[in-house]
Amino acid sequence: MINMACINLTDDEIQAAVNVLQSGALVMGKENAAFEEAYAAKTGAAHAVSSSSGTAALMLAYMTFLEPGDEVIVPAWTFIATASTVAFCGGTPVFCDVDPESFLIDLDYAETLITNRTRAIAPVHLFGNACDVDAIEAFAAKHNLRIVWDAAQAHGTTINGRDVGSIGEFVTYSFYPSKTMFVGEGGMTCTSSEDLAAAMRSKRAHGQSRKYYHDDLGLNLRLTDVEAAIGNCQLKRLDDIIAARRTNAAVLDAGLLDLPGLKRQRVTDGCEHAWHQYCITIDADEFGMTRDALKDAMGEAGIATGIHYPRGLHRQPVFVDRFGTTDLPVCDHLAETILAIPVHQGLTSSDLNTIVESVQSNCSAAV
Ligand SMILES: Cc1ncc(COP(=O)(O)O)c(C=O)c1O
């Protein structure tokens, strides 16, 4: 079976975890501090604050500024955590449609969502593709909004030569096993602000200034040192992981992009995509087969694929019940047409050939 993710830890990463377990310094020890420093250095961020997950990283960002009733514009085409964290922090996620080719937040649509309660915008560097950072910063400045960049899927993504982690007050990452960088469960919030870094470090540990003295409202959102140690080790091979993904994406491009009815996520101008996911859309009439039929056929050929996502967040009952719904035509269309195919660093050239040949052979229009 050709899988969607490669979650093999190296011997060094396993040994680093064992060393922490043997040391007994399991939480907020030197591996954690070193991981924050190394991740900040890697991305070029001024500060990086570790946490227990990508969801926790978003929570920490919102906990520093969101007030009850604040609205946050969130693309409906993303993982639920981008929006559920807004709701948990007392805000209202207001769902925005996305661009049909890049699958990233559509600023023209966002403009129609502005009210006097809009406090922030939450762009997502989806699948490892960067948003148009300059345009979003200009939009936020025009409407006086904070920006919470969700980079859970964008380890190593650059825009105009800069790592996306170096841009902004809040840039959140996930180290969940399906991600380009993976430690088990884990998250990081990069920030340009020393004060925000201090506030988030306080909030991830019960707002405790010294033992049992609590100055601020917080939670336990800490990363363990076991995971930080894996992260410290894995950071050294992150460039290799991303280089392999870029090479694989180029092979897929060469084999697939001429097929009628098949389009691949458009890469933002100036972006070096990190290929967390390689997502295509299928126009059933032109391709000669629906997305679902292609998925089934590839599955029968031993190739796993993914649907990210089967429905937009504006259609998820948890939000419909609380905030109502609206039609978002691009998201609704993507739910029927999008497909992620394997691109990870563990693929062999034979795997890549198998994937390309499978898609080609199912495209009846190409015969
Ligand atoms: C876009 C996005 N945001 C946030 C998260 C949440 O990260 P975690 O699963 O580490 O909490 C994910 C994880 O899938 C994600 O893809």
Side-chain angles (χ1 to χ4, degrees), residues 235-319:
L235 256 188
K236 294 177 195 142
R237 66 177 174 113
L238 181 60
D239 287 347
D240 290 342
I241 291 174
I242 291 168
R245 286 171 174 267
R246 288 187 174 136
T247 304
N248 292 348
V251 173
L252 296 174
D253 278 357
L256 302 181
L257 295 193
D258 287 341
L259 294 176
L262 182 152
K263 280 191 184 160
R264 191 262 279 129
Q265 181 184 31
R266 184 174 58 75
V267 180
T268 303
D269 289 347
C271 166
E272 267 205 279
H273 199 304
W275 301 108
H276 166 60
Q277 300 289 356
Y278 184 100
C279 281
I280 58 175
T281 54
I282 297 295
D283 178 318
D285 290 339
E286 284 184 39
F287 188 81
M289 185 183 248
T290 63
R291 182 277 313 270
D292 287 343
L294 176 62
K295 180 174 179 37
D296 289 347
M298 291 180 76
E300 275 161 31
I303 304 165
T305 54
I307 296 179
H308 309 295
Y309 299 90
R311 63 179 165 199
L313 296 184
H314 64 302
R315 301 278 181 221
Q316 295 289 1
V318 60
F319 295 130

Side-chain angles (χ1 to χ4, degrees), residues 53-55 58 78-79 81-82 124 150 152-153 174-176 179 185-186 309:
S53 67
T55 306
L58 286 161
T78 176
F79 182 65
T82 319
V124 181
D150 186 337
Q153 305 182 2
S174 163
F175 302 111
Y176 183 74
K179 298 296 185 281
E185 296 282 8
Y309 299 90

Side-chain angles (χ1 to χ4, degrees), residues 53-138:
S53 67
T55 306
L58 286 161
M59 286 288 288
L60 287 174
Y62 287 119
M63 284 163 76
T64 65
F65 74 89
L66 207 65
E67 288 169 15
D70 283 350
E71 294 178 358
V72 180
I73 298 175
V74 179
W77 205 250
T78 176
F79 182 65
I80 190 162
T82 319
S84 56
T85 49
V86 171
F88 259 104
C89 290
T92 301
V94 178
F95 292 116
C96 186
D97 216 348
V98 296
D99 177 87
E101 296 190 339
S102 69
F103 318 146
L104 302 174
I105 193 162
D106 176 346
L107 284 184
D108 290 335
Y109 199 100
E111 192 76 52
T112 69
L113 302 175
I114 294 285
T115 72
N116 56 10
R117 312 221 60 165
T118 312
R119 189 76 192 280
I121 185 165
V124 181
H125 297 305
L126 195 71
F127 305 143
N129 190 21
C131 297
D132 182 341
V133 169
D134 291 345
I136 291 172
E137 284 182 335

